[in-house]
Amino acid sequence: MLAPMSGVTDLPFRRLALSFGAGAVVSEMVASKDLVSQRPHVLRRIHIPDDAPLSSGPNIVQLAGSEAHWMAEGARQAEALGAGVIDINMGCPAREVTGKQSGSALMRDVDHASTLIKAVVEASKVPVTLKMRLGWDDRTRNAPELAKRAEDLGVSLITVHGRTRCQFFKDKANWRDIADVKAAVSLPVVANGDINSPADAQLALIESGADGVMVGRGAYGAPWLPGRIAETLRTGVDPGSPSLDVQEQTACSHVQAMLAHYGSFLGLRNARKHIGWYLESAGCEGADLKSWRRRLCTAVDPNAVLDGLAAFYALRRGQATHHASGHGTSPYREYAA
């Protein structure tokens, strides 16, 4: 699965991940009260096309909030807009979210968290899932308790990020502690946190006993990663990263899709972080990375950005070919094959 990530998993990114074989994708998190208000920028975050479903599977919309009434109304609104699954956010560590007593702050009060889960389940005709962390901090690792309550209230699947809220993204995700959640419930459990490769996914499944994995930051600049992991788990063979030709096609089509989705100005601005990540995925680093970022992430003409991406990948292919012919060394050798 592709994790919900604010500012990242918009419609263009979700569609790309699905095209590479991701098992499921989740929308960006939206505040339930804002969704009920139908603010345009909020509707765009969970955008579900009218002409065709996002994929052959359900559209998963993630809701955040701290009040049962608005969570229930948000769930009804998301379902009316085409959501096939409602995911409740009790894992976001961001201060602007926890400061409103939402996200992972709800793990400090399991009783209150349960009232929100109950409200969403009762308001929804579609399945409800829950995403959480191990707890608020090391003293309150209460994920198994919250998971069991969620199961009793009718939740269908639980995703656990292997850190506490107070860890944010520091240290290494603890997949072994997710096993305590798996032991507490009979529901499918998905492991999340630091899954950046097929090898990580395989180890996470072994250590956690989980039924699946969710990829977050590892998919930055690599929308193919969830699909690559799925293929590896299905066949036992890692297909590797796509060729530089495919990476170029992906990066350019991604930029074009964002221009269409947001409009030229906002689309190009929102695409800049993705462009930087694509450069890194292609092996660019150090001063070279800074130079290309300066060129591509400050340009205001979309055509100049697309032409620049073509020039970047042409250079990378040339370096890979140079190495493959036996001349010198290159950090891009993995792409030569």
Side-chain angles (χ1 to χ4, degrees):
M1 300 178 70
L2 176 68
M5 293 179 283
S6 294
V8 178
T9 55
D10 55 12
L11 180 65
F13 195 88
R14 299 198 305 273
R15 277 182 157 160
L16 273 177
L18 287 167
S19 73
F20 281 104
V25 298
V26 187
S27 78
E28 299 175 80
M29 175 188 70
V30 294
S32 54
K33 191 172 184 178
D34 289 343
L35 179 59
V36 174
S37 301
Q38 295 198 28
R39 297 181 181 181
H41 75 281
V42 174
L43 295 177
R44 186 165 55 196
R45 287 167 72 89
I46 67 161
H47 183 72
I48 299 170
D50 294 327
D51 56 342
L54 186 63
S55 70
S56 58
N59 295 290
I60 306 175
V61 171
Q62 188 183 71
L63 291 181
S66 60
E67 298 177 57
H69 169 74
W70 290 116
M71 288 293 285
E73 291 302 313
R76 292 189 183 98
Q77 183 66 44
E79 188 176 336
L81 291 169
V85 174
I86 305 296
D87 185 60
I88 303 173
N89 184 315
M90 293 191 180
C92 181
R95 289 184 176 88
E96 59 266 30
V97 175
T98 59
K100 298 176 182 178
Q101 305 307 310
S102 297
S104 56
L106 292 166
M107 298 195 74
R108 293 184 295 191
D109 187 344
V110 175
D111 289 337
H112 179 55
S114 297
T115 67
L116 303 188
I117 296 170
K118 183 175 185 291
V120 173
V121 171
E122 291 181 350
S124 304
K125 297 176 183 176
V126 299
V128 175
T129 61
L130 174 65
K131 190 171 190 290
M132 66 172 78
R133 287 198 164 215
L134 295 175
W136 176 258
D137 56 26
D138 283 334
R139 294 172 296 175
T140 55
R141 291 187 171 232
N142 53 4
E145 178 188 356
L146 181 56
K148 180 57 179 170
R149 290 208 191 187
E151 179 179 34
D152 293 342
L153 290 167
V155 163
S156 300
L157 177 146
I158 294 172
T159 300
V160 185
H161 183 109
R163 291 183 176 90
T164 65
R165 182 273 178 183
C166 288
Q167 286 180 282
F168 286 91
F169 294 100
K170 298 175 183 177
D171 307 316
K172 182 78 172 65
N174 188 336
W175 301 322
R176 285 191 173 90
D177 280 4
I178 297 174
D180 293 335
V181 176
K182 179 62 180 173
V185 298
S186 58
L187 298 176
V189 172
V190 176
N192 174 229
D194 289 345
I195 297 174
N196 302 317
S197 69
D200 289 338
Q202 290 168 323
L203 184 58
L205 289 173
I206 291 170
E207 293 190 353
S208 67
D211 304 281
V213 294
M214 178 177 278
V215 180
R217 293 171 297 156
Y220 286 1
W224 50 80
L225 182 59
R228 175 184 169 188
I229 288 173
E231 178 72 8
T232 303
L233 295 176
R234 185 179 68 84
T235 67
V237 178
D238 181 1
S241 296
S243 67
L244 283 173
D245 285 343
V246 172
Q247 291 187 45
E248 177 184 357
Q249 293 166 9
T250 302
C252 290
S253 65
H254 191 177
V255 172
Q256 291 167 333
M258 294 189 76
L259 294 172
H261 186 63
Y262 294 102
S264 180
F265 176 76
L266 188 58
L268 190 57
R269 188 173 70 178
N270 289 346
R272 286 170 177 161
K273 57 180 173 289
H274 293 282
I275 291 169
W277 294 332
Y278 281 120
L279 300 179
E280 293 183 70
S281 287
C284 192
E285 56 188 11
D288 198 26
L289 176 61
K290 290 181 180 179
S291 178
W292 278 104
R293 274 181 171 164
R294 189 179 307 112
R295 172 178 172 178
L296 299 179
C297 296
T298 60
V300 295
D301 179 2
N303 290 324
V305 173
L306 293 169
D307 289 345
L309 278 171
F312 167 78
Y313 284 103
L315 177 62
R316 289 297 173 265
R317 282 190 292 270
Q319 291 172 322
T321 300
H322 183 71
H323 173 77
S325 65
H327 301 291
T329 59
S330 169
Y332 314 106
R333 58 186 178 278
E334 68 179 284
Y335 301 105

